[in-house]
C-alpha cells in the first residue's frame, strides 16, 4: 500500500489504480483524500520511506480473515514538495508508529484501516 501511495504522491493522483489494489474501505478513502488535498495545494510527495511491518495479531487465531500489522515507518526522506521541487513546509519526517488492519478481500489481502502517529512515536 505504501509503495502505491508513494507512486501516487509523485503526481498527487488520488485515482492511481494501484491504490485500490492494496487498500480498501477507510484506508483507501484516507489515502485518496490526502492526495486530493496535496493536489489542491499544488504539492507532491517525493523521496523514500523505510518500513518494516510485522503481524502482531490475527482474527480469528486460526485461518485468519484479518490481521493487525504494526510498523515503525521512517519518513525522514519522504516529504511534501511544491510542484517546483521546493520543500512545501518545515515539517520534518522521522520515525512514526503505524498500525493497520489488513483483511481478506476478493481472494487477496488489502489494508482496510490504518493510523499513522506523530514523528518520534517509535
Amino acid at each position: 500500500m505504501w509503495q502505491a501511495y508513494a507512486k501516487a504522491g509523485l503526481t498527487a493522483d488520488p485515482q492511481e489504480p494501484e491504490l485500490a489494489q492494496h487498500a480498501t474501505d477507510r484506508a483507501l478513502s484516507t489515502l485518496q483524500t490526502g492526495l486530493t488535498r496535496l493536489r489542491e495545494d499544488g504539492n507532491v510527495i517525493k523521496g523514500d520511506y523505510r518500513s518494516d511491518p510485522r503481524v502482531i495479531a490475527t482474527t480469528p487465531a486460526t485461518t485468519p480473515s484479518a490481521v493487525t500489522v504494526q510498523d515503525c515507518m521512517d519518513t525522514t526522506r519522504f516529504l511534501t514538495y511544491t510542484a517546483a521541487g521546493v520543500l512545501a513546509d518545515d515539517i520534518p519526517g522521522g520515525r512514526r508508529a503505524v498500525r493497520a488492519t489488513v483483511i481478506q478481500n476478493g481472494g487477496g489481502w488489502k489494508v482496510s484501516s490504518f493510523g499513522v502517529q506523530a514523528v518520534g512515536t517509535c
Side-chain angles (χ1 to χ4, degrees):
M1 179 188 81
W2 292 119
Q3 289 174 348
Y5 182 69
K7 179 180 178 182
L10 291 171
T11 58
D13 181 5
Q15 299 307 314
E16 166 59 50
E18 288 184 27
L19 291 172
Q21 292 175 13
H22 302 287
T24 189
D25 301 333
R26 196 167 62 221
L28 181 58
S29 175
T30 298
L31 295 173
Q32 290 175 325
T33 298
L35 290 162
T36 298
R37 284 190 198 132
L38 279 172
R39 180 169 275 186
E40 289 170 351
D41 292 343
N43 294 329
V44 297
I45 298 174
K46 294 182 183 181
D48 300 317
Y49 65 89
R50 290 193 182 150
S51 179
D52 188 24
R54 59 187 169 89
V55 173
I56 60 170
T58 60
T59 308
T62 58
T63 317
S65 58
V67 297
T68 302
V69 176
Q70 186 169 327
D71 196 355
C72 182
M73 181 179 281
D74 186 348
T75 61
T76 303
R77 296 181 180 164
F78 191 59
L79 302 171
T80 303
Y81 292 84
T82 67
V86 178
L87 275 172
D89 54 42
D90 60 356
I91 300 171
R95 297 174 57 81
R96 303 167 181 269
V98 179
R99 186 170 285 202
T101 300
V102 183
I103 62 171
Q104 280 193 327
N105 182 288
W109 292 86
K110 292 185 180 185
V111 178
S112 63
S113 65
F114 66 91
V116 179
Q117 304 303 310
V119 169
T121 52
C122 62

